[in-house]
Amino acid sequence: MPRTALRRILEGLKAEPSRTWSIIITVYGDAIVPRGGSLWLGTLSAFLHAIDIGDGVVRTAMSRLAADGWLERSRVGRNSFYRLTERGRETFRTATEHIYNAHPPPPGSGFELVLLGNGGDREAARSALQAAGFGSATPGVWVAPAGTAIPPAAAEAMRLDASADAETRRQLAALSWPLDQTASAYRHFLEAFEPLRQGLAADGALSDQDSFVARILLIHAWRRIVLRDPVLPADLLPPDWPGTAARALSAELYHRLLPASERWLDANGQAESGPLPPPGPELQARFR
């Protein structure tokens, strides 16, 4: 049954250190930005209550996100509404393609090298590169497959194209990214979410609210792994690389859950001007 599988996913989440703030960012980036970007705190609290996160934890997480420059608040009467700041929108915009639609370059492809100097906001550039999927081969040198977009925060850095023989390319990949750890995370993801796929495929059904919960937990788990994955050409990966199966599972589950989860937002989502506007076409284009 899909409800049993979802309960086990929630139990796994509760066993980890609290990441309420990160789940909130997932809600905004995945579900709210495509529908205008603003959300009533009451709607967000209803979702978080469904995964057993209480009001006190919610208030602490929202205060932290506002203080750290991720969210900004507005008020209409006694109701509070939050949206991502420009910094938050830009960070998620940079990551969106990698999360939903990244495809590996062809075998034999080269690399983008980005060299950070000592000027400018080095820490902001480093964080932006990491969020965009770049790995670091040595301090100050960042690497990604050829064609990876360089985030605006690192636009002033020196950029180089690099090519090499196959063995050197494999060594560079091994130095730049923790591929063993990423593979292990993908396998754990498959173990956690495959029972949900099986339950839904066997004509099981989730309520609209549970569908929204499952969708957010899916993307929350997925993005934490895929943003560490450079999505390398197949010739740099082992033949049994679990990322391929994990992406296929994510795509199937996402589109199974999307209609019911959007119905829950239609019924419960509120922005300052009233019900959330309908999503743009980019929502259906994800994982295509």
Side-chain angles (χ1 to χ4, degrees):
M1 295 292 290
R3 188 70 182 83
T4 301
L6 179 58
R7 185 171 65 249
R8 288 174 181 162
I9 292 167
L10 277 169
E11 289 170 355
L13 179 71
K14 292 175 187 176
E16 299 176 352
S18 176
R19 290 191 175 91
T20 302
W21 64 271
S22 183
I23 295 173
I24 291 169
I25 291 296
T26 301
V27 172
Y28 274 87
D30 180 70
I32 306 306
V33 168
R35 302 188 65 147
S38 178
L39 185 66
W40 175 44
L41 181 58
T43 304
L44 182 63
S45 295
F47 159 71
L48 292 169
H49 289 167
I51 58 175
D52 296 330
I53 296 176
D55 289 336
V57 176
V58 175
R59 285 193 296 270
T60 298
M62 298 302 279
S63 295
R64 173 182 175 180
L65 287 166
D68 289 348
W70 285 97
L71 293 176
E72 54 191 9
R73 185 179 76 163
S74 61
R75 294 183 67 89
V76 177
R78 300 179 63 182
N79 294 328
S80 294
F81 299 83
Y82 288 85
R83 66 172 59 244
L84 291 175
T85 62
E86 179 55 36
R87 169 197 164 190
R89 291 193 298 273
E90 180 58 39
T91 299
F92 207 87
R93 190 158 45 239
T94 301
T96 292
E97 189 67 17
H98 197 82
I99 293 170
Y100 299 105
N101 293 315
H103 298 288
S109 298
F111 293 97
E112 304 279 356
L113 295 186
V114 175
L115 280 61
L116 292 182
N118 293 322
D121 192 338
R122 184 183 174 94
E123 182 58 29
R126 187 196 68 79
S127 297
L129 287 166
Q130 191 170 34
F134 281 73
S136 183
T138 190
V141 178
W142 293 82
V143 185
T148 302
I150 297 174
E156 299 302 316
M158 184 181 297
R159 174 189 168 279
L160 301 171
D161 294 325
S163 59
D165 60 80
E167 181 57 30
T168 301
R169 291 168 61 251
R170 282 191 288 269
Q171 290 176 1
L172 181 59
L175 283 172
S176 301
W177 294 280
L179 295 178
D180 288 346
Q181 294 177 28
T182 302
S184 178
Y186 276 135
R187 293 187 187 100
H188 181 73
F189 176 89
L190 288 164
E191 291 171 1
F193 285 92
E194 174 61 22
L196 179 60
R197 187 200 68 78
Q198 292 178 2
L200 292 171
D203 294 325
L206 290 172
S207 68
D208 291 353
Q209 183 181 62
D210 281 347
S211 294
F212 187 75
V213 167
R215 167 186 165 184
I216 295 302
L217 295 185
L218 171 75
I219 296 302
H220 179 64
W222 171 249
R223 77 175 179 89
R224 288 165 58 195
I225 305 170
V226 76
L227 289 178
R228 300 197 305 265
D229 182 357
V231 191
L232 294 172
D235 60 328
L236 300 185
L237 297 170
D240 59 346
W241 178 248
T244 305
R247 182 171 289 277
L249 175 62
S250 296
E252 180 177 345
L253 275 176
Y254 194 77
H255 286 284
R256 281 185 180 273
L257 296 166
L258 198 58
S261 66
E262 288 294 301
R263 284 198 302 269
W264 187 83
L265 280 176
D266 289 339
N268 296 277
Q270 293 287 321
E272 291 99 330
S273 58
L276 290 176
E282 69 273 13
L283 195 65
Q284 291 294 336
R286 290 173 172 175
F287 289 111
R288 296 300 190 187

